[in-house]
Amino acid sequence: GESVGLHLPTLSVQEGDNSIINCAYSNSASDYFIWYKQESGKGPQFIIDIRSNMDKRQGQRVTVLLNKTVKHLSLQIAATQPGDSAVYFCAERAGGTSYGKLTFGQGTILTVHP
Amino acid sequence: DGGITQSPKYLFRKEGQNVTLSCEQNLNHDAMYWYRQDPGQGLRLIYYSQIVNDFQKGDIAEGYSVSREKKESFPLTVTSAQKNPTAFYLCASRGTGRAEAFFGQGTRLTVV
């Protein structure tokens, strides 16, 4: 389908603050959820993933929380740095009959001010 | 170096012409994906392939076609039936049993 000109949500934070980026997903049969970071003009880069049978996973400066009851995913970035400025996408990997289908959410623009 | 390569980086097409975007990976990944990204927007899935000689339509497959004759290659053809083909196209691959996909650097297609 054609795009309808939606604008991405934005989040502005000061350097050193913690950032929380949220995402709603739609498919209750998804078995993995993944966060990606995309810088301007580049392909997305993997940040962290979480399996559907977990509710929290921590990486280096990042934590992902999964709430399957309300189909909500969040990415927390600790001590945000200017280099964290980018667009952040959540993605879900389908299970079942559409196994392997990888669908992305809308995305959030994170701007970190020095 | 292992990775996923898209070519060309920029591509110009006249209206009514078909054009093929290349995607090659040497990561020995089984699954490959094509996405379209419009300015300021998210990634929309065009086609995906879980294994050689098999592929499935994504959410916006109309006006596009793919082939998967080799494990390392997943070319995307943008046909004249695609009404608004100007966009940034991203290819990705994923290893079996892994959740994360690795992306190429994209091809920016412009219809002139």
Side-chain angles (χ1 to χ4, degrees), chain B residues 7-58:
Chain B
S7 60
K9 189 171 182 179
Y10 298 96
L11 188 57
F12 296 87
R13 186 195 100 175
K14 292 183 180 179
E15 279 193 45
Q17 287 182 339
N18 292 357
V19 64
T20 298
L21 281 60
S22 170
C23 179
E24 302 278 330
Q25 53 97 0
N26 60 4
L27 300 166
N28 200 33
H29 287 173
D30 283 313
M32 295 187 75
Y33 303 82
W34 273 107
Y35 294 88
R36 170 185 172 135
Q37 188 173 32
D38 292 285
Q41 298 189 37
L43 282 70
R44 292 185 288 168
L45 182 63
I46 305 172
Y47 270 97
Y48 65 109
S49 168
Q50 292 285 86
I51 199 167
V52 175
N53 292 322
D54 187 44
F55 49 83
Q56 289 79 39
K57 292 182 179 180

Side-chain angles (χ1 to χ4, degrees), chain A residues 14-56:
Chain A
Q14 290 295 128
E15 182 177 2
D17 287 352
N18 296 334
S19 302
I20 299 176
I21 300 170
N22 297 302
C23 178
Y25 65 92
S26 56
N27 186 358
S28 56
S30 293
D31 60 356
Y32 264 99
F33 302 89
I34 310 108
W35 281 100
Y36 286 90
K37 172 185 179 183
Q38 186 180 28
E39 296 174 329
S40 181
K42 296 183 179 179
Q45 288 181 294
F46 170 79
I47 302 172
I48 191 169
D49 63 8
I50 187 168
R51 197 174 178 135
S52 59
N53 62 356
M54 300 170 66
D55 53 19
K56 180 178 180 179

